[in-house]
Amino acid sequence: LIGSGFSAQVAVSSANGNATSGVANNVDFRNLVRGPITATDPLSVLDQPLTVTGETVLEGIPGNDLSNLAVNDLLDVSGFLDVDGIIVATRIALQTNPTADWKLFGQVSGLSGNLFNIGAQAVDFSGVSPVGCVPDLADGQFVELEALPNPGYSAGSVLGQLNQLECEDPNFTNPPPGTVVASLEGIISEIPDPMPVP
């Protein structure tokens, strides 16, 4: 469900000179990681430790208290990467669909054959061709991957069964030709009801 706390990327046309107003053509709500909790101290999902602040929005968390979560509970986490590549969580939601694809966004390191790491998470991308990597997948690139739920997965396991691997700019995805790129980062504080179209 869409709600406050999501990290969002917005494509805008007809922006004024200082990019404080314009027409939103596309709004992309982004989760940086979706999958099982691999540790509770610090709270980690797919071996990615999370920074949780007083502004982090909790959705569907029992008692609105992270201490009620357990290893292997499934979470959707929205936020942004800090300078050290750690996910600063702006929204943490308990995932209610155990068959939903797992997801991870981050920077590639230790690339060797069909294996690489995102933070502490080892990834095997056998059978999947990376998309949008110029000229090829390499250490230092940012990627977004999706994988089928991995039965038997636990902390320290290699994440496999990928069905998508795409190189991405950490800030913008394919800005339209002829546009000027500007960045605004923050936490969504209110969602209109009814939602505007688009």
Side-chain angles (χ1 to χ4, degrees):
L1 296 173
I2 294 172
S4 59
F6 267 107
S7 173
Q9 177 178 304
V10 183
V12 177
S13 62
S14 305
N16 64 7
N18 56 8
T20 58
S21 67
V23 177
N25 301 115
N26 185 65
V27 179
D28 182 17
F29 295 95
R30 303 183 76 183
N31 285 317
L32 295 184
V33 63
R34 175 190 304 128
I37 294 173
T38 47
T40 56
D41 188 16
L43 182 61
S44 303
V45 177
L46 292 178
D47 282 336
Q48 309 301 303
L50 308 178
T51 298
V52 181
T53 71
E55 294 183 331
T56 303
V57 174
L58 304 181
E59 179 67 36
I61 307 298
N64 213 36
D65 186 344
L66 294 176
S67 67
N68 290 324
L69 295 174
V71 169
N72 293 326
D73 285 345
L74 300 174
L75 296 181
D76 274 315
V77 181
S78 186
F80 57 91
L81 298 179
D82 70 11
V83 294
D84 297 317
I86 304 298
I87 296 174
V88 178
T90 56
R91 184 175 192 270
I92 299 174
L94 191 62
Q95 173 60 253
T96 57
N97 179 4
T99 65
D101 286 352
W102 295 356
K103 181 177 178 179
L104 181 57
F105 176 87
Q107 193 170 26
V108 172
S109 66
L111 177 64
S112 177
N114 289 323
L115 298 173
F116 65 84
N117 293 316
I118 295 178
Q121 179 60 65
V123 177
D124 181 349
F125 66 101
S126 298
V128 174
S129 297
V131 174
C133 304
V134 180
D136 295 303
L137 181 65
D139 284 352
Q141 290 177 321
F142 286 86
V143 295
E144 180 176 271
L145 64 83
E146 290 188 8
L148 298 173
N150 284 209
Y153 172 89
S154 61
S157 295
V158 175
L159 179 62
Q161 301 189 68
L162 272 60
N163 53 24
Q164 179 179 325
L165 177 61
E166 183 174 358
C167 287
E168 290 195 2
D169 185 290
N171 298 311
F172 295 97
T173 304
N174 302 322
T179 60
V180 175
V181 174
S183 177
L184 174 65
E185 186 174 279
I187 299 170
I188 295 170
S189 59
E190 185 176 351
I191 300 293
D193 185 16
M195 286 286 287
V197 177

